[in-house]
Every structure is written in C-alpha cells, then in structure tokens.
Amino acid sequence: MALRHKPQIHRILRWLTIGLGASSFALIMYAFTAPTGESLEGRLLPSHLRKEQEWVTISADQVRQGVTLPSHSNVIIHIPEEVTRITRRTLFGRKGDQIKYWGYCFPEDYDQAQALRRRGFPGVLFLSEKEQEERNTFQLKNRKESFSVTEDLDEDELNRTRAVRGTIRHQMEIFTGGQSCYIMTEEPLPIGTDNDGDGVNIAVERDYGSDPNNADSDGDGIRDGLEIFQLLSMPTRRDTDGDGLIDGIEDADRNGRVDERTETNPREWDSDRDGLCDGLCLVNKGSELRGEDKNLNGILDKDETDPRKKDTDGDGILDEQEYFNCLLRKGKNC
C-alpha cells in the first residue's frame, strides 16, 4: 500500500517545492519593484521594528524646493534628475558637525538582482562628521581596552594604528541626480538643491532670506556660502556691522576669513577696539560722523588712522584719544 502511493507523494512534494520557490521569487521581486519607501523598508530594519518606526518619503520636487527632514524617522529621499553634482555637506545644510545623521544611497543604475546577492547594505554609506566622530571614538575605545601587545609600539605608532583602523571607509561625499537615499537623523535637517552653486542649499537660503538663484545675494562681493558658514556675516546685508564699509571691502580677499593684520572684521564695527568706527558711523544721536576709514575705500590714506591698529602711529596714545585731542585743538581733518 505504501509503495503504491509513493510516486504520488513525490509528485505532491515536487509541486509544493515549485510553488514555494515561485512564491519566494515573487516576494523578492515585489520588494524591489514596490514604491521606494516600502522596498527599502524591508532591507533596513528587522521585522519587529518596522511598525515602530515612522517612514517618510521625500520626493524630488520637495528636494528642489527645500525641505526639513524629520528627526528619528526613516526617510527616503530622491535626488532630482537634473542635479549633476552636489556635496553631502551642501545637500544636508552643512549641519554634519552639529547633528548626527547617517544613511546610504542607491545609484541611478541600481542593479537589484546583484544587490540581492550582497551582504549588508546594498548602497554606499554616508555619515555626518558628528556621527563619524562618535563611531570612531567608540571603535578606538573598544580597541584600546582589548589591545594587549604594545611593548613593540611607541605611543605615536599606537595612535596612528588606532586612527587608521577607526576610520570609516567608503564615505559618500558626492551625490548625483537619480539616486534614492535612506537617511536617519537625530534632529531636523534642512536639505535641498543648490541652484546657484554658492554652497548653500535652498532650504538654508530660505531660512536666511537670501536669493537661491544668486550666489551673492547682497552684492558685497562675498558668496552667500562663505558669509553664512565661514565669515558668519549676513548674506542679505552689504554692511553687516553697519560701520559704513561693505563686507567685501573688510574681507578684502573675499575668502570668508578675517586676517587681522590686513583686514577688518565685517562683524565688528570697531575691529581694533580703539573706540573709533572702522569706516564712518553716526554718533552723538546722529549729529556727527566719526570713524577711521573716512572715504570708505579700505585703504589707509593721509589724515586717516588705521582701523586694524589701536595706536596707528605707535606713540602710546589710542587713536580715539588722538581724535579728541585734535578736536580740542580745533584742528582740521580730525
């Protein structure tokens, strides 16, 4: 009796095996042809966590217009097709040294079949500076505790070994159009494209009120990105400190850094702290113009004091006191 039914049992098992294989293949194909957020969701989190985490999809149009990513959410962003190149720091608002975030991207020509055969993340990883620092610190701390053979290494060699091994490899720094990326951030993060190439994405430009289509919104000769992130001056005011000198004259080489020997500070109306305005300022309730660079050209001319030095002539008397002494003498060109 058992022998009579054995071929039938084999046929049933064969069809069950084929059915299970087809079902598995269908599920795999669905995971990579479903909407991006759903397909990535299955790859990123264990099943018991998927319902506990919020999933947000940011479209290419939203990235074009600038948007703030929510914190502690799984976010999928789509880089607009027309983007030829944008740095990670610009795309994410140069907040990496302040905010921990991490993620990875799929290229435009993403090979789904090949990704299925890979282990780990199928894309290229990117981390914020703060996240990198924390991970490196954690790795080095654990390595230090477990490192036992140090007799043949001096301290410098040991530190170099730790530094190399603690570095995150394959850090993605350049993003291009057509990519789909996953990101998790601990705090809200402003992202967007950079239409004018000034190093500021459109979401940050909106926060500052600058023109996203003009690299130098206020026309002071300094790019918006340098003003916002390095010089810390106002990208919408030609004269941030109100001393009469436009920012591009104070930062003469317009590189976003103040050289105290040759330049005045666009953020301080009295760079040398001698009591006189760098350029010309209204004082005495607006009844008098007083300052050091009287013709506002950024050059030390005759009958002017140097706004970079408290005591221009080196006689031991501050420039402001010399100015008042001149007034008492009723001198000309004080």
Side-chain angles (χ1 to χ4, degrees):
M1 187 72 177
L3 292 175
R4 188 186 313 164
H5 292 286
K6 193 171 183 180
Q8 185 176 359
I9 292 173
H10 285 174
R11 283 196 298 272
I12 293 172
L13 291 174
R14 187 183 306 115
W15 282 109
L16 284 174
T17 302
I18 294 172
L20 288 172
S23 300
S24 299
F25 179 77
L27 287 173
I28 291 171
M29 292 303 296
Y30 173 76
F32 283 90
T33 56
T36 307
E38 296 177 10
S39 63
L40 292 181
E41 178 180 347
R43 300 296 302 275
L44 295 171
L45 290 176
S47 58
H48 68 282
L49 290 179
R50 290 175 200 164
K51 294 182 180 179
E52 299 176 11
Q53 299 287 339
E54 179 185 3
W55 279 84
V56 178
T57 299
I58 304 297
S59 68
D61 282 338
Q62 288 176 292
V63 176
R64 288 188 191 97
Q65 297 167 10
V67 65
T68 299
L69 301 184
S71 61
H72 302 292
S73 299
N74 295 287
V75 182
I76 304 299
I77 62 173
H78 299 287
I79 310 298
E81 295 282 348
E82 67 274 11
V83 174
T84 56
R85 182 183 187 276
I86 187 170
T87 65
R88 173 187 59 82
R89 296 184 67 205
T90 299
L91 178 64
F92 298 118
R94 297 201 182 190
K95 298 286 187 180
D97 55 346
Q98 307 165 33
I99 298 176
K100 289 193 298 181
Y101 64 78
W102 73 275
Y104 62 87
C105 290
F106 297 90
E108 186 178 9
D109 57 350
Y110 173 54
D111 186 344
Q112 299 173 354
Q114 183 179 2
L116 283 174
R117 296 192 293 270
R118 292 182 180 178
R119 293 183 178 181
F121 296 135
V124 183
L125 186 70
F126 61 87
L127 307 171
S128 70
E129 288 81 359
K130 189 173 181 181
E131 178 71 17
Q132 289 184 58
E133 181 181 0
E134 184 165 309
R135 292 192 185 198
N136 288 341
T137 300
F138 177 78
Q139 290 179 6
L140 294 177
K141 180 181 178 182
N142 289 348
R143 185 169 295 109
K144 182 177 180 181
E145 292 173 351
S146 61
F147 205 97
S148 58
V149 184
T150 60
E151 290 80 8
D152 297 331
L153 295 177
D154 60 29
E155 188 65 23
D156 290 339
E157 291 174 328
L158 184 58
N159 287 335
R160 281 198 298 272
T161 302
R162 291 171 183 162
V164 170
R165 292 187 177 182
T167 301
I168 300 295
R169 297 182 179 181
H170 309 301
Q171 166 77 352
M172 184 173 182
E173 294 292 349
I174 304 298
F175 293 71
T176 56
Q179 290 178 314
S180 295
C181 305
Y182 163 83
I183 182 171
M184 168 76 80
T185 175
E186 68 169 356
E187 295 181 28
L189 191 66
I191 75 163
T193 55
D194 179 16
N195 299 339
D196 52 13
D198 60 1
V200 189
N201 74 39
I202 192 169
V204 176
E205 297 238 36
R206 183 166 55 240
D207 291 341
Y208 278 86
S210 52
D211 186 347
N213 297 308
N214 186 346
D216 180 13
S217 297
D218 54 10
D220 62 1
I222 306 175
R223 296 167 70 87
D224 293 345
L226 292 177
E227 293 212 63
I228 292 173
F229 298 117
Q230 289 187 210
L231 199 55
L232 305 182
S233 55
M234 294 297 296
T236 55
R237 292 184 59 182
R238 290 168 59 85
D239 179 13
T240 297
D241 54 12
D243 62 0
L245 294 171
I246 68 171
D247 296 345
I249 286 181
E250 299 211 64
D251 180 16
D253 56 11
R254 301 174 181 181
N255 65 352
R257 294 186 296 272
V258 178
D259 185 344
E260 295 181 356
R261 298 170 301 172
T262 59
E263 298 174 335
T264 52
N265 192 333
R267 302 187 309 275
E268 296 185 12
W269 65 273
D270 180 14
S271 297
D272 57 7
R273 309 293 176 85
D274 63 357
L276 289 175
C277 180
D278 290 343
L280 278 176
C281 300
L282 285 171
V283 296
N284 293 335
K285 299 182 180 180
S287 63
E288 178 188 353
L289 272 174
R290 184 188 303 168
E292 302 200 74
D293 188 356
K294 298 174 184 178
N295 58 7
L296 305 177
N297 65 353
I299 300 172
L300 181 60
D301 298 308
K302 185 180 180 181
D303 296 326
E304 290 182 342
T305 52
D306 192 339
R308 296 158 299 187
K309 297 179 180 179
K310 293 182 179 182
D311 179 13
T312 299
D313 54 12
D315 62 357
I317 303 174
L318 293 182
D319 291 342
E320 183 186 39
Q321 186 59 52
E322 296 213 48
Y323 171 79
F324 286 119
N325 291 343
C326 179
L327 290 180
L328 290 174
R329 294 193 307 267
K330 297 183 179 180
K332 296 180 180 180
N333 300 320
C334 291

